[in-house]
Amino acid sequence: MDTTERFRAAVEKRDLTALDDLFTEDIRFYSPVKFTPFEGRPMVIGLLGVLLRTFEDFRYVGRFAGEAETSTDGEEVPSEILLFRAAVNGKQIHGIDLLQLDEAGRIKEFTVMVRPMSAVQVLSEAVLVGLVADGLVPDPAGH
């Protein structure tokens, strides 16, 4: 089973511990709602925990493989796209997970893109609540 298949299986089973050895220590997660990436394995696994709690009826519906430049260093690396469907607070979301691999086959960059804009806004609000609740980011309201 390759990295992408193992990643997909872990997400579908909601098994965060299975993700640990799939990510590089310095993985970068590019979110559709935040300009700068989330960085480091502990933060990215924590964020995925929030996402898995936030998404309703999450399912992968396709896979594409190829090569693409990374955002970090512009290096062309093996890359896979997993298409997904889900809902957040009743809003339907279509999206992709772009997984970019290092030379050892671990995920070094993870980019998520979702549509439509109204779903991005709902997702952003729900994820922020989860990140604050889990102590991964400070409460922007200062509470």
Side-chain angles (χ1 to χ4, degrees):
M1 186 181 299
D2 69 19
T3 299
T4 302
E5 290 167 347
R6 290 172 56 210
F7 173 83
R8 181 178 180 161
V11 168
E12 289 173 344
K13 292 176 187 170
R14 300 179 181 271
D15 182 1
L16 295 176
T17 59
L19 296 173
D20 200 50
D21 68 333
L22 298 179
F23 294 155
T24 60
E25 189 63 41
D26 61 349
I27 184 171
R28 289 177 174 224
F29 182 102
Y30 291 91
S31 160
V33 298
K34 184 176 179 281
F35 184 74
T36 58
F38 292 91
E39 296 185 59
R41 188 184 297 145
M43 174 58 85
V44 171
I45 289 176
L47 174 60
L48 286 174
V50 171
L51 287 169
L52 291 176
R53 289 195 318 264
T54 302
F55 284 128
E56 304 151 16
D57 190 30
F58 183 91
R59 66 206 179 282
Y60 284 114
V61 297
R63 177 180 175 179
F64 297 92
E67 290 190 349
E69 287 184 6
T70 63
S71 296
T72 306
D73 55 22
E75 178 185 358
E76 194 166 289
V77 299
S79 303
E80 301 237 6
I81 294 173
L82 293 172
L83 286 79
F84 67 84
R85 301 284 187 263
V88 174
N89 296 333
K91 280 266 189 215
Q92 293 300 309
I93 292 179
H94 297 174
I96 65 167
D97 289 341
L98 170 60
L99 308 176
Q100 296 188 276
L101 310 176
D102 71 1
E103 61 282 343
R106 291 175 301 162
I107 301 166
K108 72 179 199 171
E109 280 193 11
F110 184 158
T111 302
V112 176
M113 296 180 201
V114 297
R115 64 158 304 279
M117 180 61 92
S118 59
V120 174
Q121 291 167 333
V122 169
L123 177 62
S124 174
E125 292 164 6
V127 169
L128 179 59
V129 167
L131 289 171
V132 170
D134 287 4
L136 295 169
V137 299
D139 185 342
H143 299 126

